[in-house]
Amino acid sequence: MRLAILAAALLATTAAIAQTPPVAMEPASQWHQKAREIYSRVVAIPTVQGRGQTLAMANYLQEQFRAGGFTDITIHQYDVVRPADRAATLILRWPAARPSGRKAILLMAHMDVVDARREDWPREPFELGTADGYFYGRGTADDKQGVVAVTTALLRLRAEGFQPDRDIIVLFTGDEETGGRGADQAANRWLDVANIEYALNADAGGGAWLENGTSVGFGIQTAEKVYQDFTFTATNPGGHSSRPRPDNAIYALAHTLERLERHRFEPMLNDTTRAMFTDRLRTAEPALAAAIRRWLANPNDGAAADLIEASPTEVGLTRTRCVATRLEGGHANNALPQLARATVNCRMFPGHDPAQVLALLRQIAAPDNVTVEPIDRARPADASPLREDVMGAFTAEIHARYPGVAIVPNMSTGATDGLYFRNRGVPVYGVESSWGISPTDERAHGRDERNPQRSFYQNVDHWTGMIRRLAGPAR
Ligand SMILES: [Zn+2]
């Protein structure tokens, strides 16, 4: 999942502080050429759920890694959603050449993509297209560029004789967009998380410029909200609809959902969102900026937090949010309903105890005797600490290409494969350097997905530099 880069971009009112970089770029090294060759091959593999193609992509990448001298590669196959639907996840280990005693780092990305239909696109979605300085195709942004950058960086570092001083583990999953089973099993079975110090995720992070040249900055994703669905169920003896009873399952559920709609959870703030909102002050319009200032000065100022939450660009960032997403009920046009049920999707703030959320939802439902049950179990995950080494490496690499741009920790309201590792206590950092023009280039999951050529090649260099800094001797 790769969401809109940084929503606050839409509110930016400040004058241009930098020029938008040109999007076009020719390959500037043999490794750029290599990256482009791999990109072209993997975009052409339609790794959409139901087509069984992630194994083909994993096999191709395995060949590339083997040709580059890597030997410890495993491809796991597993069922996703429907038994007939198989996905593949690739795991590669590059053992430390000169062990420093430091724990391993995990590099992660996903090979699968959201479906794209030829008739919806102005071009073939599963073919790497180039036009106007962009690469086009499904997955060019989410997330095949991440897979290609990590792969090419490792091929290059090995070819250049780089000697990692800690184990490097690569995880390319095959069902991030649909199931997350690859990441789930990797975090819980296939990998020894006790030996992983932290993960770098190529499925989050990145930067943006506005069309007027204003730099929005580069985000490093250090937190994501926790996903949990609940059913709200009202039952009733029912009867003939010509003789309505005073109690009614549909009305009971409706009254409960109205209370849920009005309910606001307590605002919460962590190091990541504090840094994020502090940076927002640069670009937010005056009323929003004033509310942010009040809230940061006094996190108990719930009214200020409510104002921020009401802004379309900040929604979901100040607290846990729950919203009704599905509805069913009744069994005949001429019968009183015996059952009415809604699905409520919650995105819990990191650190918010799921048991507390459940207790609160039950309180909201109690006056109408509506029962609330969780679907599946939540995977609580705290925000990852703003580690100096990772923040420092990210900042240095971004500033090497874009001196002085803002570097901003951020929290995703959605979820990535990273949540399974955060749930196991492994900090995860979304550290892509890919960037685009906001909002026109924010097309992940959408029509005519694209990636600036310059963003693509720079991301390859960025990952090479990140791995050098974080798995090499102190510089
Ligand atoms: Zn993604």
Side-chain angles (χ1 to χ4, degrees), residues 1-2 110 142-143 176-177 203 445:
M1 141 125 48
R2 176 178 288 272
H110 66 87
D142 184 12
D143 178 35
E176 190 272 346
E177 299 287 4
D203 191 30
H445 296 200

Side-chain angles (χ1 to χ4, degrees), residues 18-19 24 69 86 96 198 249 283 386:
Q19 286 260 301
R86 302 278 282 168
Y198 56 82
T283 51
L386 306 181

Side-chain angles (χ1 to χ4, degrees), residues 119-143:
E119 59 268 34
D120 296 338
W121 279 50
R123 72 194 80 237
E124 173 52 55
F126 296 104
E127 194 180 293
L128 186 67
T130 50
D132 321 319
Y134 284 89
F135 289 119
Y136 285 86
R138 170 59 84 225
T140 48
D142 184 12
D143 178 35

Side-chain angles (χ1 to χ4, degrees), residues 65-321:
F65 280 125
R66 289 206 188 284
F70 293 92
T71 52
D72 188 348
I73 306 165
T74 311
I75 294 175
H76 295 273
Q77 289 190 72
Y78 49 97
D79 293 330
V80 187
V81 191
R82 287 171 290 134
D85 193 18
R86 302 278 282 168
T89 282
L90 179 148
I91 293 174
L92 172 146
R93 285 185 179 78
W94 187 3
R98 293 174 301 107
S100 58
R102 294 195 290 172
K103 289 185 186 181
I105 56 175
L106 177 70
L107 314 179
M108 52 196 297
H110 66 87
M111 300 185 289
D112 58 309
V113 293
V114 170
D115 205 355
R117 294 184 305 178
R118 177 64 189 90
E119 59 268 34
D120 296 338
W121 279 50
R123 72 194 80 237
E124 173 52 55
F126 296 104
E127 194 180 293
L128 186 67
T130 50
D132 321 319
Y134 284 89
F135 289 119
Y136 285 86
R138 170 59 84 225
T140 48
D142 184 12
D143 178 35
K144 286 177 175 173
Q145 67 164 340
V147 171
V148 174
V150 170
T151 301
T152 312
L154 290 176
L155 292 174
R156 172 178 170 182
L157 287 165
R158 187 160 185 123
E160 292 179 351
F162 175 72
Q163 297 194 308
D165 71 356
R166 64 199 318 174
D167 291 358
I168 295 172
I169 304 169
V170 174
L171 174 71
F172 290 158
T173 56
D175 64 325
E176 190 272 346
E177 299 287 4
T178 49
R181 289 205 63 222
D184 186 358
Q185 294 183 88
N188 290 286
R189 286 174 50 196
W190 300 332
L191 297 175
D192 174 17
V193 293
N195 186 40
I196 297 173
E197 189 160 357
Y198 56 82
L200 302 178
N201 191 354
D203 191 30
W209 272 266
L210 300 186
E211 267 150 23
N212 69 8
T214 306
S215 162
V216 178
F218 279 72
I220 175 167
Q221 188 234 46
T222 52
E224 50 197 307
K225 290 180 91 178
V226 177
Y227 187 108
Q228 172 98 77
D229 290 319
F230 297 89
T231 54
F232 279 50
T233 308
T235 54
N236 190 282
H240 201 288
S241 62
S242 64
R243 298 171 56 81
R245 303 163 50 96
D247 52 341
N248 176 301
I250 290 176
Y251 293 153
L253 182 64
H255 298 150
T256 296
L257 293 179
E258 281 193 321
R259 283 194 298 277
L260 177 72
E261 180 189 7
R262 286 193 300 271
H263 179 75
R264 288 293 172 270
F265 286 86
E266 285 296 305
M268 299 171 91
L269 195 60
N270 59 30
D271 287 352
T272 291
T273 57
R274 179 176 284 282
M276 198 173 75
F277 281 119
T278 302
D279 180 74
R280 289 284 203 271
L281 293 172
R282 239 170 10 98
T283 51
E285 45 84 21
L288 176 61
I292 291 173
R293 254 184 227 106
R294 271 172 55 201
W295 191 43
L296 292 180
N298 175 15
N300 296 320
D301 187 341
D306 289 355
L307 278 173
I308 300 167
E309 185 72 25
S311 160
T313 57
E314 314 306 314
V315 62
L317 295 174
T318 71
R319 68 197 71 197
T320 295
R321 292 298 300 259

